[in-house]
Amino acid sequence: MTPTTAASTVLSASGIVTLDPGAAAAPSAPTVMALLDRYFTAINARDYPTWASSVDPKRAQHQPLSSWLQAYRSTNDQAVEVSAITPSGGDAVTVELSFTSTQDIADAPSDLQVGRICWRSAWPVVDLSSGGRINSPPSGTTTKSAC
């Protein structure tokens, strides 16, 4: 892991992701931190191959390069904060996180056409022993609001 702030949160190498103290204490914290850092850095850099390697293969299959580039063409994600990492059986955890995305209003979700969105979600992360992959969040576990 990387530097610790005065509040005992842990900051990723890119500075995009922070782990709250409770999340940082989880055994899988280093893997989760590296995975989320890779995932969000890939979105911000428009790096589809890295993004696709960070998610479950079925998720990547449902969002091929052309649709992914369209969906994220103006997105910039930042201030990713992991509040909890909970074992969910086998080689998996559930990661509770929040983050902020900015994008052109035209690229915002159809149900929230704003330039800045605050997201909260619980993401299933599988295959931890292989570096982890983000699965699609279960229905009802993600909220978004203008911020």
Side-chain angles (χ1 to χ4, degrees):
M1 284 195 280
T2 53
T4 302
T5 66
S8 296
T9 58
V10 179
L11 187 62
S12 70
S14 71
I16 295 173
V17 181
T18 60
L19 298 181
D20 288 351
S28 59
T31 302
V32 169
M33 168 78 79
L35 173 64
L36 293 177
D37 196 60
R38 189 169 68 244
Y39 174 88
F40 284 106
T41 300
I43 288 172
N44 292 346
R46 311 296 179 263
D47 179 353
Y48 180 81
T50 299
W51 175 86
S53 73
S54 301
V55 299
D56 180 77
K58 287 181 185 176
R59 185 172 172 188
Q61 182 180 1
H62 289 299
Q63 195 163 27
L65 176 61
S66 60
S67 64
W68 186 86
L69 287 171
Q70 181 65 30
Y72 291 104
R73 72 186 181 105
S74 67
T75 299
N76 185 341
D77 291 326
Q78 63 257 340
V80 180
E81 184 176 325
V82 177
S83 56
I85 300 171
T86 309
S88 54
D91 196 24
V93 295
T94 299
V95 177
E96 293 178 34
L97 73 156
S98 61
F99 63 96
T100 303
S101 66
T102 57
Q103 62 280 317
D104 292 341
I105 292 173
D107 297 331
S110 61
D111 61 342
L112 188 60
Q113 294 279 289
V114 297
R116 183 178 164 96
I117 300 173
C118 288
W119 298 85
R120 294 191 67 74
S121 193
W123 287 1
V125 173
V126 298
D127 301 329
L128 287 168
S129 61
S130 300
R133 290 194 180 254
I134 301 166
N135 246 335
S136 296
S139 180
T141 62
T142 300
T143 61
K144 60 186 178 292
S145 60
C147 57

